[in-house]
Amino acid sequence: MCGIVGYTGTNSAPSVLIDGLKRLEYRGYDSAGIALIVDSRIQVFKKKGKIRELERELRPLNLRATTGIGHTRWATHGSPTDLNAHPHLSCDGRIALVHNGIIENYQELKRELAELGHTFRSETDSEVVVHLIEEELKREKVFKRAFLNALSRLKGSFALAVITTQEPTKIFLARKDSPLVIGLGEEENFVASDVPAFLAYTDRAIFLNDFEAAVIDRSSVEVFTFNGEPVKKEAVKIPWSLAQAEKGGYKHFMLKEINEQPRAIADTISGNLQWFESGKVEGIEPEEVERITVVACGTSYHAGLIGKFLFENLAKIPTEVDYASEFRYRDPIVKNRDLVISITQSGETADTLAAMRLAKERGAKVLTICNVIGSTATREADTVIYTYAGPEISVASTKAFTTQLTVLLLLALCFGRRRGKLGQREFDSLFKELMSIPSKAEAFLNREKEEERVKEIALKLYRAKNALYLGRHVNYPIALEGALKLKEISYIHAEGYPAGEMKHGPIALIDETVPAVFLATKSPVYEKVLSNIEEVKARKGRVVAVVNPGDSAVSKLADFKIEVPETHPLLSPVLNVIPLQLLAYYIADFLGYDVDQPRNLAKSVTVE
Ligand code: AGP
């Protein structure tokens, strides 16, 4: 989704803005631009393509400005062109605006404004807002009020940052359904769609809520509602270091984040120990929960599928898992003793937020598992449990997934004990096993032999056009996740399937050109997986098998095997997914793709 940055202070706004836009590149974009107040006039520079091209154009100009706004665009209305790039200017050139979201009633507003003589330069929905403000200013001379009047006419989702020559050191902000956060500096202030944009300058932030607006100046921040009522806000200290938001010597953020999983899982366990040890999850009485419904999208949905196994096996709570985009429109039956768990790395995924709101409206308690402090999901849920993965920059989610599984296991263990479904011995041994996962993940990632083996397999398979991922029981969702990782960064068509389902159709796909990746670690269904592998081998399929050390039966059959440390079957997904993340990574890297910013994808999908 689009990325917004803004700066007002005493430093060079062009360099702060370009630096901030670069740190938001991971959000995905097709064009970029900045607007600056230079000698009481607004100058706009925008370009289709990469930020570095814009930067190359700006360098020789040596622009002197201390207030400005910037934008990376993810096209929704109007194709990626220089004209459609943001910022957009008013007819008189005295107001500039950047927008993230979708103005749903823009056609109607555009017609009205055109009749009033406004000329539109772009095909975007966003441009109507700057003309609307310009029109309101004809009636209301105080910019803040004209800005609020314009907001009251908008339908849809919007994060806005606006500058004007009328108040050259100020930036006017508004937020509805798209993220916006203010960074607090000394004699300077920042605004951005996400914290990494200004983390190099400050770790103090104010998160705007929906229907909140603000004016930031060099040494002041004023927050108010869309009706102009003042809002008192607490600044939050961001616990992430800038280094965490940078590559740390890895070729791609994805590879760095795969290797950060041991620490992320350990931090997620220790960060949640307090409620886990007390057995009290704020606002939730496990004994009263009649049913759990998990709502999520993409990789987070796959974590939810594993959550189902954990809640049903360890806490005996019937659990459903729904794609949030389906839940929100299927008129779900929700009862007030239901617990709805939303899983979302970013906390800003529009479908997941809508599913949460619907569940709340229908009387359910909503708990969210989220990785981003201050994000919308964390402010709308009744209860928040954080994953402590640190910033996840690569679009392909990895460490957020394994830390989501970690939280789901802690929750299921806690609920199981509170409901008397889990004996102390089983509780202790499973928790002890969970505590060993970070070192087992570390052991796997540090075993060069295994990583080399994954690279070799990737080298053999990267020309494949199709691939099949197969798992059973709690590892079926890992087959889905492995297939998703390959699809989203290598653009190879891949399907995850329950291995037992293969003979009901997908086995027709099998021949020597379609690799079949099996999750075949120790589990109650190991023998069943073995016979599924035999079915594939019988049809000359090429088998990649994820096994435990000392495995013999599967290893004899498989063309390629990757050994992961053994653990309890219910915990094995946390380890088994890592080689699949690496396999997808190396295949995409061998194909020469930009692994961190795959085509057509965004890190945080804030529109439906
Ligand atoms: C996963 O690699 C993708 N980036 C995508 O499927 C993602 O999981 C999905 O968009 C959900 O995002 P969220 O966890 O931030 O809500």
Side-chain angles (χ1 to χ4, degrees), residues 297-300 343-347 349 352 395-397 404 481 484-485 488 602-603 605:
C297 305
T299 287
S300 298
I343 306 177
T344 169
Q345 186 284 130
S346 61
T349 302
T352 305
V395 169
S397 184
Q404 287 163 354
E481 179 56 12
L484 176 62
K485 288 282 105 52
E488 64 181 319
K603 181 63 184 170
V605 184

Side-chain angles (χ1 to χ4, degrees), residues 301-316:
Y301 169 82
H302 294 153
L305 291 174
I306 292 170
K308 174 181 172 67
F309 274 94
L310 301 174
F311 289 121
E312 293 191 344
N313 274 270
L314 301 176
K316 306 297 178 229

Side-chain angles (χ1 to χ4, degrees), residues 456-608:
E456 274 162 38
I457 298 169
L459 215 47
K460 294 259 174 26
L461 301 185
Y462 78 97
R463 289 192 194 81
K465 294 282 172 277
N466 300 287
L468 211 51
Y469 286 71
L470 300 152
R472 276 181 179 261
H473 195 259
V474 73
N475 277 294
Y476 155 50
I478 295 301
L480 292 173
E481 179 56 12
L484 176 62
K485 288 282 105 52
L486 189 69
K487 273 184 278 214
E488 64 181 319
I489 60 174
S490 75
Y491 321 141
I492 294 173
H493 172 247
E495 273 196 82
Y497 245 85
E501 234 346 74
M502 230 194 355
K503 50 188 170 298
H504 304 288
I507 198 158
L509 293 171
I510 295 295
D511 64 23
E512 55 281 353
T513 67
V514 180
V517 181
F518 277 88
L519 286 308
T521 50
K522 293 209 176 90
S523 78
V525 290
Y526 176 84
E527 297 304 324
K528 305 296 176 201
V529 174
L530 184 58
S531 61
N532 295 135
I533 292 175
E534 283 159 352
E535 287 164 9
V536 169
K537 290 309 296 171
R539 290 157 182 81
K540 300 194 175 40
R542 284 197 293 170
V543 170
V544 177
V546 176
V547 299
N548 291 136
D551 175 280
S552 57
V554 167
S555 305
K556 275 201 210 80
L557 284 173
D559 300 270
F560 313 102
K561 72 170 182 173
I562 306 165
E563 287 183 358
V564 293
E566 185 176 342
T567 182
H568 185 286
L570 281 179
L571 278 68
S572 63
V574 185
L575 296 175
N576 291 357
V577 74
I578 302 176
L580 303 190
Q581 296 165 343
L582 281 172
L583 185 62
Y585 171 77
Y586 283 116
I587 287 176
D589 192 40
F590 287 143
L591 288 164
Y593 292 133
D594 185 343
V595 173
D596 286 334
Q597 283 176 28
R599 71 184 185 197
N600 304 344
L601 284 178
K603 181 63 184 170
S604 166
V605 184
T606 54
V607 293
E608 68 169 300

Side-chain angles (χ1 to χ4, degrees), residues 207-349:
F207 288 84
L208 288 184
N209 287 348
D210 278 349
F211 303 102
E212 286 182 353
V215 181
I216 63 172
D217 203 339
R218 296 177 177 164
S219 48
S220 68
V221 172
E222 186 199 349
V223 181
F224 38 89
T225 66
F226 284 12
N227 307 324
E229 281 118 41
V231 178
K232 196 157 171 7
K233 300 288 281 186
E234 290 303 316
V236 177
K237 183 169 171 18
I238 306 297
W240 298 338
S241 68
L242 184 59
Q244 280 184 293
E246 290 185 336
K247 274 192 200 144
Y250 287 90
K251 184 175 176 188
H252 291 104
F253 280 109
M254 184 178 178
L255 190 58
K256 174 184 176 242
E257 289 158 6
I258 289 173
N259 283 283
E260 282 179 339
Q261 292 182 103
R263 181 213 35 88
I265 295 165
D267 287 357
T268 299
I269 296 171
S270 54
N272 288 294
L273 268 187
Q274 204 181 8
W275 64 260
F276 181 72
E277 282 171 348
S278 71
K280 292 197 179 56
V281 181
E282 194 205 321
I284 311 277
E285 300 306 331
E287 298 82 354
E288 292 163 14
V289 173
E290 269 177 18
R291 177 180 62 164
I292 290 176
T293 299
V294 179
V295 292
C297 305
T299 287
S300 298
Y301 169 82
H302 294 153
L305 291 174
I306 292 170
K308 174 181 172 67
F309 274 94
L310 301 174
F311 289 121
E312 293 191 344
N313 274 270
L314 301 176
K316 306 297 178 229
I317 306 177
T319 301
E320 290 177 16
V321 186
D322 239 315
Y323 283 112
S325 54
E326 285 300 313
F327 180 88
R328 64 183 294 187
Y329 292 120
R330 77 168 170 82
D331 191 14
I333 298 164
V334 176
K335 303 195 195 102
N336 53 23
R337 288 176 75 118
D338 281 0
L339 172 62
V340 170
I341 298 181
S342 71
I343 306 177
T344 169
Q345 186 284 130
S346 61
E348 303 294 351
T349 302

